[in-house]
Amino acid sequence: MTPPLRATCRLQLNADFDLRAARAVVPYLERLGVSHVYASPVLESRGGSTHGYDVVDPTRLDPDLGTEEDWRDLIDELRARGMGLLLDIVPNHMATGHENPYWDDVLALGRRSRYAAWFDITWEAPQRDLRDRVMLPVLGDSLGKVIGRGEISLVRQGDRVRVKYFDHTFPLSPESMAELPLDLGALDREAIAAILARQHYRLAHWRRAAREINYRRFFDVNDRVALHMEDPEVFAQTHALPLEWRRRGWVDGFRVDHPDGLLDPLGYFQRLAEAAFPGEPAPPIYIEKILGHGERLRCEWPVAGTTGYDFLNQAEALFIDPPGWGSIEAEYRRTIRQPLEFSAIARQAKRLVLETGLSAGARRLADRLLKLAGPAHPLPRVSRRDLLRAVVEAIVAL
């Protein structure tokens, strides 16, 4: 890296601490001995985002942070002081909602959208009402009750008509747009229900998400949809701007958010290293990877290291008083009156999460296995319930 990496300082950028504010603290960071600013994500995120991990457009600098000129001024300030920049990028997921034009296009056009391949959606869901549709678990009650209370309406926004539910809005398919009357007020609740039934999405009670949601999320966060980052075209479209900044010499390295969520982490790191740092044996790519006790980073990954959670776990021990820890442990065991070890508690907790908040993901895996174990398969027929149990227990054992 140029300059050599000595010490980083993370700057959490948002509307209250934007690119101009970041530039203003660079002289202070230089006096501290910081060699590289480690910037939080700067691609366009939801309006008012405080963190930047809810990206809605990976092709633009976030306007909440400033202009392209502000971004260039920050880089120039760093370069003038012999300092560099590490940039946080988010390959695993994007934010849903009307601010995301790619997601909005998928909701309007369904599988016909040119962006349908971006998102990890199970279009052939086992639920009949979700086949070729996306579940949107945003309602506070069942769809019928919400419509009955008049909480859903159709509103004009420019030359388009959108479905409105409190702060949420959703697009209509082109076919539905062509059938609308000029006077939207003439639509009664039965007509609105019929229009919704013809869309490429299904509005649903938020409680259905845990078991039935048919797109892969960031953990159990409904408004973060996972990307097919293993697709070279998706990688190219979503990484074009950061790679352009790298080619200009503005970015010295990347911090990769949540690579464990990717289908093919190795393939992703190889593609990123080749595109951004061709020929470098240990490219300055730092990954958010939580290493367990005794675990080592996979040697075949072309990265420089982790962001340091493993180090923090060791450093944290400096602030824990061993006798005090022993007292807390003894009191806890006296209170629960059970001889449970941590490993047993961890297994119980993993099983609980997989059977509740993350059960939709486990069910998706079971459904894929069920297709493989169909009538033409030489193995005996197994039930979806048994496959689901096998998926849960396999993950618990990891």
Side-chain angles (χ1 to χ4, degrees):
M1 298 179 66
T2 304
L5 181 66
R6 296 189 312 272
T8 67
C9 179
R10 176 179 170 85
L11 296 184
Q12 180 59 67
L13 301 166
N14 51 56
D16 295 326
F17 187 82
D18 59 13
L19 295 170
R20 292 187 178 186
R23 181 188 179 190
V25 303
V26 169
Y28 170 68
L29 298 180
E30 180 191 26
R31 293 196 298 274
L32 289 179
V34 170
S35 64
H36 290 74
V37 162
Y38 158 28
S40 62
V42 300
L43 301 178
E44 184 173 3
S45 57
R46 279 182 171 163
S49 175
T50 59
H51 47 78
Y53 292 98
D54 45 359
V55 175
V56 295
D57 192 343
T59 69
R60 298 181 62 212
L61 179 72
D62 195 332
D64 278 356
L65 305 182
T67 64
E68 291 280 352
E69 184 178 0
D70 296 328
W71 179 231
R72 188 168 57 250
D73 287 345
L74 171 60
I75 303 299
D76 290 344
E77 184 73 26
L78 291 169
R79 293 296 183 247
R81 297 176 182 276
M83 300 169 67
L85 179 82
L86 297 178
L87 181 61
D88 203 333
I89 55 177
V90 190
N92 179 66
H93 56 269
M94 293 178 69
T96 62
H98 65 274
E99 293 179 273
N100 185 331
Y102 313 96
W103 178 250
D104 214 56
D105 194 75
V106 171
L107 297 186
L109 300 177
R111 300 178 83 165
R112 292 180 292 143
S113 169
R114 57 177 170 168
Y115 303 112
W118 278 36
F119 305 106
D120 192 352
I121 300 169
T122 302
W123 293 102
E124 298 176 2
Q127 304 95 318
R128 183 175 300 175
D129 66 332
L130 292 180
R131 289 172 188 169
D132 288 324
R133 294 178 172 88
V134 182
M135 172 188 269
L136 299 180
V138 299
L139 303 181
D141 209 331
S142 68
L143 178 59
K145 292 180 179 178
V146 167
I147 293 176
R149 292 196 293 263
E151 295 173 354
I152 294 180
S153 60
L154 269 60
V155 297
R156 293 193 184 278
Q157 292 185 355
D159 61 345
R160 308 294 293 175
V161 175
R162 296 181 67 87
V163 177
K164 188 176 190 302
Y165 175 71
F166 293 100
D167 294 335
H168 300 281
T169 70
F170 312 96
L172 291 176
S173 67
E175 297 82 4
S176 295
M177 288 287 296
E179 299 170 357
L180 291 176
L182 291 177
D183 181 12
L184 297 180
L187 294 171
D188 58 21
R189 294 172 184 178
E190 288 178 356
I192 290 177
I195 291 171
L196 289 177
R198 295 195 295 272
Q199 302 311 308
H200 297 287
Y201 52 86
R202 281 289 180 265
L203 301 180
H205 193 295
W206 64 269
R207 290 186 181 276
R208 288 183 60 183
R211 295 172 64 89
E212 299 180 63
I213 198 166
N214 65 333
Y215 60 85
R216 186 164 57 88
R217 303 170 289 172
F218 173 69
F219 294 102
D220 61 349
V221 182
N222 292 340
D223 60 8
R224 303 287 189 278
V225 57
L227 296 167
H228 278 303
M229 196 49 66
E230 68 280 4
D231 185 326
E233 186 61 28
V234 175
F235 174 91
Q237 292 175 316
T238 57
H239 285 64
L241 188 54
L243 291 176
E244 174 61 24
W245 290 336
R246 169 59 192 161
R247 282 190 287 271
R248 294 180 186 179
W250 294 5
V251 173
D252 298 284
F254 294 107
R255 181 266 193 191
V256 178
D257 178 68
H258 193 59
D260 279 322
L262 301 175
L263 176 64
D264 180 17
L266 173 60
Y268 172 79
F269 295 140
Q270 289 173 334
R271 189 170 288 120
L272 180 61
E274 181 180 351
F277 311 99
E280 296 190 28
I285 299 172
Y286 301 90
I287 64 174
E288 183 195 29
K289 172 66 177 172
I290 302 174
L291 298 176
H293 180 70
E295 182 183 5
R296 293 183 178 275
L297 193 62
R298 299 187 182 188
C299 60
E300 70 272 20
W301 285 0
V303 299
T306 73
T307 49
Y309 289 139
D310 45 336
F311 168 76
L312 288 177
N313 282 335
Q314 298 175 38
E316 185 181 47
L318 297 173
F319 302 95
I320 296 177
D321 178 54
W325 177 87
S327 298
I328 293 174
E329 176 78 1
E331 178 63 20
Y332 175 72
R333 292 183 178 278
R334 187 189 69 79
T335 301
I336 65 172
R337 299 180 181 179
Q338 294 183 42
L340 288 178
E341 298 300 323
F342 176 77
S343 59
I345 295 174
R347 287 194 298 273
Q348 291 179 10
K350 287 194 283 186
R351 190 175 293 110
L352 175 65
V353 169
L354 289 165
E355 292 175 347
T356 54
L358 299 184
S359 66
R363 290 169 185 273
R364 290 178 74 199
L365 291 174
D367 288 334
R368 292 186 181 188
L369 286 174
L370 194 61
K371 290 183 179 180
L372 296 176
H377 198 279
L379 295 177
R381 182 73 175 173
V382 293
S383 68
R384 183 174 187 259
R385 180 179 179 181
D386 288 339
L387 283 174
L388 177 58
R389 182 183 175 190
V391 166
V392 169
E393 293 304 321
I395 295 175
V396 167
L398 292 178

